[in-house]
Amino acid sequence: MIKNKGYMGKILVVDLTSGEIREETLPDAVYEKHLGGLGLAAHILYARIPAGADPLGPDNMLAFVPGLLTGTGSLFTGRWMVAGKSPLTGGWGDANCGGTFAPEIKRCGYDGIFIKGISEKPVYLYVDDHTRELRDASTVWGLDTVEAEEYLETHAKEKGKKPKVVCIGPAGEKLSLISGISTDKGRMAARSGLGAVMGSKRLKAVVLSGQKRIGAHDRNEMKRLSRMCNKWVQFQPPFVTGPMTAFVGALLRVMPTVLTQDGMLYKILLKKWGTVSMNQMSPEMGDSPIKNWKGSSRDWGFRKSYSTNPDVFKNCEIVKFHCYSCPLGCGGICTMDDKYTHTHKPEYETVLSLGGFCMNQDVKGIFYLNELLNRAGMDTISAGHAVAFALECYEEGIITRKDTDGLDLTWGNAEAIVALVEKMVKREGFGHVLADGVKQAALRIGKGAEAFAVLAGGQEPAMHDSRNDPGFALHYSVEPTPGRHTLGSHLYYEMYQLWKVVKGIPKIPPMYLKGSKYKNPEKQAAIGAANSRFMTLVNCTGACLFASFLGAKRFPLFDWMNAANGWQLTPNDYMDLAGDIHTIKQSFNVKHGIEPKDCKISDRALGRPLQTEGANKGRSIDIEAMMTHYWEQFGWDGRTGKPSPETMKRLDGGV
């Protein structure tokens, strides 16, 4: 029976140890409380993964979930998430990806696929309208992500349309703690090391081919809201050339005041270039960490960043890539002269982590490494961090050529950087030392190497400098998935414009002094808590972070949820639900022995010691005060970050 709601009302549970595959029907109350997507995953995994479970053992579970709004007619809501206990952090792990896979989970009739156990041999899960079975994956085990996906699209196909595939590459098979899960031949759910969880279960892929109808309570209202949103998306005035973006960044650096950002500007950049639009602007304004967080905009100035200016990438683009239900298309399919005729355009995070972060100006090398890491199924942010960490250890004399298999790991040595990443992918020689990320590399190298490791809860943070925006420092340190850049910052809050629809949260004036962001930790924590709640909703619905930058009145997330499900909740009601879901994730961490205060990001990223030059000169963050106030926003203990025993008890007995 088709529900007149945005959800399907069922999940699929797979036990790889016994081979059992069964459906579970969920009551409406589960969705009314936990929504879908990330909220549904948190509800199920908190209850079913036992305390102390080995992340790479049979008791850990992987959840593949679409969003509550996926397939309902809303725009920008085609993202899927994978969640489980992270082998990288030891706590809650999730990773988010676009592409075209998310609606297929619902078309197969499910709001989530939950997988536990360990198979005796490599398998893949195949699901369509009539079939649910585990199949032998020995033919594709060992193939890279593109090869495996192409093979399964052809050979797993029963009849009719081509199936949708998510899979791991050699990095996940070899249990790299920085491995992710791939789809659409190069879109990655990269963070938290969940590719290794899939590899430990000997699950090569999930292959779906469904045709079930996805419901919505009020389709006319869904269409009306989508038409309104799309009008803003299609507004695209002319803008400056790629290299000119560097001067925009420089202007923002020298201004003593900040004009509150309207996300329409970023939308214009995204539509023209994609995320690479920030390749030069971010370093100039101090948003990009340089040289393993010890450099500055002085080290990676206009002349050095010019090789990665946005026009370079746009000129390689054959066609734009749109995720499901996205009218904007910030992705792109590119060609490379000598390596690959078809490759996804590198994202900003990849370009900076393998570029300015390593002082590497070789754009062809970055294109190659992007494809290499995507095919291996390895997180480009963490891989770039591991390389830069090794470069600094080499500079400090902690490691020498004898340790690096003869590689000269000097800053910006593009040939050596390529060779090192190739070794990491193969777990070969010194590459094995780095293949599990910076934390494990520091332990393996020893000799004081940990002094150059910049981490948050064991996760390498992203390419956004927390000294430039204290909001990043807060979210890197307090989120149940630490080190994550896709949840909040002061800049994000400006663009979300939540205060226009949510009552009782801080308003941002049209203009303010830059220094004010570093004061009043209580207000900054309130902003951070609103960010976390809102992004929880975004990740429950399958929505896109970049679309949320349009602003709360142009991107009608709350109204879409009501129209899709026949609910009558206010934005504040939804923010309250999101707070409970956020608490479940934090409780998951506490249940598994994580001390939230230990997830604080490394001192170097907090301006300790102060930088003496560049865009972030003299800036430091009072993170301890912000963390305390942030935890109190959710009713957690301000000293420890732990939810109260009463809250834990309520969750244990929850729906």
Side-chain angles (χ1 to χ4, degrees), residues 65-385:
V65 287
L68 178 70
L69 289 175
T70 301
T72 61
S74 52
L75 299 179
F76 295 110
T77 48
R79 299 188 73 81
W80 58 277
M81 297 198 74
V82 58
K85 184 173 180 178
S86 167
L88 186 65
T89 68
W92 175 263
D94 61 47
N96 184 303
C97 188
T100 57
F101 182 74
E104 210 65 17
I105 303 174
K106 282 188 166 179
R107 287 174 185 147
C108 286
Y110 304 110
D111 297 307
I113 299 173
F114 294 79
I115 302 172
K116 63 181 180 180
I118 291 180
S119 172
E120 288 187 1
K121 61 181 182 180
V123 294
Y124 71 89
L125 173 67
Y126 177 83
V127 182
D128 64 20
D129 292 342
H130 311 290
T131 307
R132 297 179 291 275
E133 60 187 16
L134 295 168
R135 295 178 175 177
D136 178 31
S138 56
T139 303
V140 290
W141 195 260
L143 298 184
D144 70 37
T145 59
V146 175
E147 293 168 337
E149 187 172 342
E150 289 177 343
Y151 182 92
L152 291 168
E153 281 179 344
T154 302
H155 293 83
K157 181 179 177 182
E158 290 279 316
K159 55 184 178 181
K161 68 176 187 177
K162 188 183 290 185
K164 300 297 181 184
V165 179
V166 294
C167 64
I168 55 171
E173 294 177 12
K174 295 176 182 178
L175 308 185
S176 164
L177 301 186
I178 56 172
S179 59
I181 300 168
S182 172
T183 190
D184 288 290
K185 305 179 183 68
R187 312 300 292 184
M188 290 285 296
R191 309 244 73 191
S192 298
L194 296 176
V197 178
M198 202 162 160
S200 73
K201 296 183 177 304
R202 300 191 184 93
L203 178 67
K204 178 67 178 182
V206 176
V207 183
L208 306 179
S209 181
Q211 299 193 52
K212 288 186 169 57
R213 180 175 176 271
I214 302 169
H217 178 79
D218 187 341
R219 289 204 175 275
N220 289 333
E221 178 64 1
M222 296 297 290
K223 289 178 183 176
R224 186 190 71 78
L225 293 167
S226 293
R227 282 196 297 269
M228 180 277 292
C229 179
N230 194 40
K231 284 182 181 176
W232 292 105
V233 177
Q234 300 309 322
F235 175 69
Q236 187 70 10
F239 200 68
V240 300
T241 62
M244 285 295 291
T245 58
F247 296 101
V248 176
L251 177 63
L252 294 173
R253 182 183 71 233
V254 300
M255 287 175 63
T257 57
V258 177
L259 296 174
T260 299
Q261 292 292 307
D262 188 312
M264 282 298 291
L265 173 61
Y266 188 55
K267 192 282 301 179
I268 292 167
L269 297 173
L270 274 181
K271 195 170 173 64
K272 183 169 183 177
W273 289 292
T275 59
V276 294
S277 58
M278 303 303 291
N279 285 356
Q280 287 193 282
M281 191 186 303
S282 280
E284 287 294 333
M285 60 193 279
D287 176 52
S288 302
I290 301 297
K291 208 176 182 180
N292 198 31
W293 295 84
K294 76 170 186 175
S296 74
S297 53
R298 289 278 187 92
D299 299 291
W300 193 249
F302 174 81
R303 288 184 174 81
K304 288 185 177 176
S305 67
Y306 180 79
S307 64
T308 59
N309 86 72
D311 285 347
V312 170
F313 295 84
K314 186 174 176 63
N315 293 339
C316 294
E317 192 175 271
I318 305 168
V319 63
K320 285 189 172 296
F321 179 88
H322 293 249
C323 297
Y324 174 80
S325 79
C326 172
L328 190 148
C330 69
I333 302 300
C334 298
T335 185
M336 299 161 60
D337 294 338
D338 50 351
K339 293 287 184 183
Y340 299 103
T341 56
H342 181 287
T343 183
H344 278 271
K345 182 172 60 182
E347 302 290 346
Y348 159 83
E349 299 290 339
T350 304
V351 175
L352 264 295
S353 63
L354 297 165
F357 203 58
C358 299
M359 303 298 288
N360 176 19
Q361 297 176 254
D362 178 12
V363 71
K364 284 189 176 181
I366 292 171
F367 258 105
Y368 167 66
L369 291 176
N370 178 62
E371 181 69 14
L372 176 72
L373 288 164
N374 284 344
R375 284 175 175 262
M378 185 176 280
D379 180 358
T380 58
I381 296 174
S382 292
H385 254 274

Side-chain angles (χ1 to χ4, degrees), residues 14-20 57-59 116-120 134 201:
V14 180
D15 186 336
L16 293 170
T17 301
S18 66
E20 180 189 29
D59 289 336
K116 63 181 180 180
I118 291 180
S119 172
E120 288 187 1
L134 295 168
K201 296 183 177 304

Side-chain angles (χ1 to χ4, degrees), residues 522-541:
E522 191 167 2
K523 179 182 177 182
Q524 298 306 320
I527 288 172
N531 282 336
S532 295
R533 286 188 167 97
F534 180 62
M535 280 310 298
T536 294
L537 295 174
V538 168
N539 290 327
C540 286
T541 54

Side-chain angles (χ1 to χ4, degrees), residues 386-612:
V387 171
F389 167 75
L391 297 178
E392 188 165 2
C393 287
Y394 188 82
E395 181 182 54
E396 295 291 333
I398 292 175
I399 55 174
T400 67
R401 284 198 183 208
K402 289 177 64 176
D403 303 296
T404 65
D405 309 323
L407 295 177
D408 177 23
L409 296 185
T410 49
W411 293 104
N413 184 343
E415 187 176 345
I417 290 170
V418 168
L420 182 56
V421 175
E422 289 176 337
K423 285 178 174 291
M424 289 170 61
V425 167
K426 296 175 183 172
R427 273 197 184 276
E428 175 184 280
F430 187 62
H432 169 72
V433 174
L434 304 178
D436 293 311
V438 171
K439 180 179 178 180
Q440 294 302 317
L443 291 172
R444 288 166 183 162
I445 293 172
K447 297 183 278 188
E450 67 274 11
F452 311 113
V454 177
L455 295 163
Q459 172 81 70
E460 297 81 6
M463 292 295 104
H464 297 280
D465 197 320
S466 36
R467 293 163 295 199
N468 186 64
D469 186 331
F472 280 121
L474 180 65
H475 289 281
Y476 287 153
S477 301
V478 296
E479 293 287 346
T481 46
R484 195 65 57 86
H485 69 290
T486 50
L487 298 172
S489 73
H490 197 281
L491 175 62
Y492 290 5
Y493 188 72
E494 292 178 17
M495 295 191 287
Y496 295 154
Q497 300 181 351
L498 288 173
W499 62 88
K500 293 185 176 180
V501 298
V502 177
K503 297 177 181 176
I505 60 175
K507 296 179 180 177
I508 303 295
M511 180 185 293
Y512 58 88
L513 293 171
K514 271 183 185 172
S516 65
K517 288 189 295 186
Y518 300 83
K519 301 174 182 175
N520 197 345
E522 191 167 2
K523 179 182 177 182
Q524 298 306 320
I527 288 172
N531 282 336
S532 295
R533 286 188 167 97
F534 180 62
M535 280 310 298
T536 294
L537 295 174
V538 168
N539 290 327
C540 286
T541 54
C544 172
L545 167 69
F546 299 148
S548 67
F549 291 160
L550 287 170
K553 287 204 168 182
R554 301 175 187 132
F555 180 66
L557 188 69
F558 303 106
D559 294 334
W560 268 324
M561 281 192 280
N562 282 339
N565 297 290
W567 297 337
Q568 301 294 325
L569 301 180
T570 67
N572 283 75
D573 292 335
Y574 281 114
M575 294 289 272
D576 288 343
L577 288 176
D580 286 346
I581 294 167
H582 200 56
T583 298
I584 294 175
K585 291 188 293 174
Q586 187 78 338
S587 300
F588 180 98
N589 280 351
V590 174
K591 176 180 174 179
H592 289 269
I594 298 293
E595 291 289 341
K597 58 183 171 54
D598 294 341
C599 295
K600 185 182 72 174
I601 195 168
S602 303
D603 281 352
R604 186 182 280 187
L606 296 168
R608 304 171 183 173
L610 296 172
Q611 288 206 301
T612 56

